[in-house]
Amino acid sequence: VHLLDPSRGGRIAFQELQPNGRSPQDFAAAQGGEPYGEALGLYLACLQAEISGESLRELELICTCLKTWVQLYIEVDGSGLWMTPFMIFLCNRARRTASQLDQAKRSEANRDAYLKKLVEIHRELFQKLNKERAKRAGHVWVCCELLRAYFKLGQISQCSFLLTAVSQSLNKDGFNPTDLPKAISVTFFFYWGKHCVFTHNLRDADEKLSWSFNNCPAKSKFNRRKILLYLVPCKLRLGVLPTQDLLHAYDLAIFVDVVRAIREGNAQLFAQKMEEHAADFIKMGTYLIMMKLKFTVLRSLTRCVHREVRRQLGENAAHKLDLTPFEHIFAWQDGCDADETACLISNLIHQNAVKGYLSHEHRKIVFAKDLPFPPPSKWRM
């Protein structure tokens, strides 16, 4: 307990556990017994390497400790859920140590070398745990570690294999990932949803990320914000706008003006904010989805023009309107000429975001009498 207490720190606890010059190995054998003494001894040796500043040896020892603990986890009877918190702790520590080593040699040609070595170890563990039906919690967590690493390395294509393997395994056993401990299931659904965002499977991404957000503890504001960074673009693309209170509560200023541009149909504001935050969206991998929101902005703009023209016409308002006002507004907001305006409105009609048709011969746009602007659930995404 002292060793794993983050408020005390491993170094202090390690020093306290050596009264009368007792060696870490003797302490591990006495406290861990025959089955767990080896794993505890490896972890104590890892702490000793950390104190000595031997980062490379620390990583080697923590990886060996992780493999030893996973083997014990496989051999234990039942689900072995009580062993998963320490396995998660070892995975986190190994990842942190590998990251520190990679940052220290960032200028060299072989970047992320230690993270790639860690991926190989996790792949080995994944294959072992894939055969153990009773050990689904550990299996899914190792999958999360691999997904996290693949996203960091930019190897998104590798994620599909993992998710397919886990999905097939879970479906075969009739097991529901939501039955796992929340720390594991929330993380798994986050990375699964994130992968759906990258593959533009927005409805599945919305489902997975929404579940992850709703089940993430309210006090975990940092993790909930990470989920929202991918969930908000999905919701926006599906036509669901977040409240300003939500965006401010989680420090998501990056979306505030984009949402305002969608509400107002302000194409100029949208273009300005997308250019301002382009680097952030590219880094997160959501730039393409965010750029596609221009479609929603132009729909809002069309709706605003439609409403204003009908208001000015008053009792004489009909469902057949001149194209001229639309051309003037689109030219002002987005620099479009007459042909480009017609193309954009035609695309809105094709995607079922606007119901109606264009009459080029009479230079009219004819809106449907019933629901000319269908809700987002009716759009062709």
Side-chain angles (χ1 to χ4, degrees), residues 29 37 56 84 101 109 135 159 171 189 193 196 201 208-209 218 245 254 265 296 360:
L56 185 56
T84 54
L101 285 167
K135 305 298 191 298
C159 298
N171 291 335
F189 272 81
C196 291
N201 189 350
K208 304 292 187 296
L209 292 170
D245 290 342
I254 192 174
T296 314
H360 295 285

Side-chain angles (χ1 to χ4, degrees), residues 308-320:
E308 180 61 22
V309 171
R310 285 179 61 83
R311 187 190 67 80
Q312 291 182 7
L313 291 174
E315 295 180 357
N316 298 322
H319 299 286
K320 185 187 297 184

Side-chain angles (χ1 to χ4, degrees), residues 139-177:
H139 180 224
V140 172
W141 180 258
V142 173
C143 177
C144 292
E145 287 294 327
L146 283 168
L147 290 171
R148 190 197 314 261
Y150 287 143
F151 279 117
K152 183 174 177 59
L153 294 170
Q155 299 175 359
I156 312 300
S157 59
Q158 298 289 339
C159 298
S160 299
F161 161 75
L162 284 174
L163 292 169
T164 301
V166 172
S167 299
Q168 289 177 348
S169 177
L170 296 179
N171 291 335
K172 184 178 179 181
D173 298 341
F175 183 77
N176 192 338

Side-chain angles (χ1 to χ4, degrees), residues 45 63 73 202 263 275 285 294 310:
C63 289
Y73 171 62
L202 296 182
R263 288 187 193 278
E275 183 178 357
K294 187 174 181 180
R310 285 179 61 83

Side-chain angles (χ1 to χ4, degrees), residues 11-304:
R11 295 189 181 195
I12 297 173
F14 181 80
Q15 293 167 359
E16 292 177 357
L17 290 171
Q18 297 186 70
N20 303 320
R22 187 166 44 159
S23 70
Q25 290 74 19
D26 292 341
F27 174 81
Q31 297 294 323
E34 184 177 346
Y36 304 107
E38 181 183 359
L40 181 56
L42 287 166
Y43 179 65
L44 292 175
C46 168
L47 287 179
Q48 197 171 38
E50 180 192 14
I51 294 170
S52 304
E54 302 174 78
S55 298
L56 185 56
R57 176 169 168 74
E58 178 189 352
L59 179 61
E60 291 173 353
L61 288 167
I62 201 67
C63 289
T64 306
C65 181
L66 174 61
K67 289 191 282 189
T68 303
W69 189 257
V70 170
Q71 187 58 43
L72 291 170
Y73 171 62
I74 291 172
E75 294 171 358
V76 76
D77 293 335
S79 64
L81 271 179
W82 66 272
M83 298 182 72
T84 54
F86 188 55
M87 186 175 76
I88 293 172
F89 172 83
L90 292 174
C91 288
N92 291 340
R93 187 177 182 106
R95 184 177 66 253
R96 187 168 60 249
T97 305
S99 177
Q100 290 170 353
L101 285 167
D102 283 327
Q103 287 177 3
K105 56 176 292 185
R106 182 177 294 177
S107 59
E108 298 182 20
N110 192 9
R111 295 186 60 187
D112 299 315
Y114 295 103
L115 179 59
K116 290 176 182 176
K117 290 180 181 178
L118 194 57
V119 165
E120 293 303 316
I121 292 171
H122 283 137
R123 286 175 67 112
E124 178 186 334
L125 299 178
F126 181 81
Q127 295 298 333
K128 285 185 178 180
L129 289 167
N130 193 36
K131 303 172 185 176
E132 304 294 327
R133 294 190 177 184
K135 305 298 191 298
R136 290 308 178 206
H139 180 224
V140 172
W141 180 258
V142 173
C143 177
C144 292
E145 287 294 327
L146 283 168
L147 290 171
R148 190 197 314 261
Y150 287 143
F151 279 117
K152 183 174 177 59
L153 294 170
Q155 299 175 359
I156 312 300
S157 59
Q158 298 289 339
C159 298
S160 299
F161 161 75
L162 284 174
L163 292 169
T164 301
V166 172
S167 299
Q168 289 177 348
S169 177
L170 296 179
N171 291 335
K172 184 178 179 181
D173 298 341
F175 183 77
N176 192 338
T178 59
D179 296 332
L180 295 170
K182 283 291 190 288
I184 298 174
S185 57
V186 168
T187 306
F188 178 62
F189 272 81
F190 167 66
Y191 284 112
W192 196 353
K194 183 176 177 179
H195 179 260
C196 291
V197 171
F198 277 69
T199 56
H200 301 283
N201 189 350
L202 296 182
R203 299 199 186 279
D204 282 351
D206 178 34
E207 178 188 345
K208 304 292 187 296
L209 292 170
S210 294
W211 191 94
S212 182
F213 181 77
N214 292 333
N215 288 273
C216 185
K219 63 181 181 181
S220 301
K221 191 172 180 179
F222 176 79
N223 289 331
R224 289 169 71 85
R225 184 179 184 275
K226 281 180 66 176
I227 298 169
L228 286 173
L229 284 171
Y230 293 92
L231 180 57
V232 169
C234 288
K235 290 289 189 183
L236 292 176
R237 188 71 179 95
L238 295 171
V240 181
L241 304 185
T243 64
Q244 294 294 314
D245 290 342
L246 177 73
L247 297 178
H248 289 302
Y250 289 96
D251 191 24
L252 295 171
I254 192 174
F255 295 114
V256 170
D257 287 321
V258 173
V259 171
R260 185 160 69 89
I262 293 173
R263 288 187 193 278
E264 299 173 356
N266 192 333
Q268 289 181 342
L269 178 63
F270 178 79
Q272 176 189 341
K273 293 303 172 181
M274 282 303 300
E275 183 178 357
E276 181 180 333
H277 299 298
D280 296 318
F281 291 132
I282 290 171
K283 184 178 180 180
M284 288 187 290
T286 56
Y287 181 75
L288 289 178
I289 290 179
M290 294 299 295
M291 281 302 296
K292 287 181 179 180
L293 292 175
K294 187 174 181 180
F295 165 88
T296 314
V297 175
L298 294 176
R299 176 190 181 269
S300 298
L301 181 60
T302 304
R303 188 173 189 174
C304 290

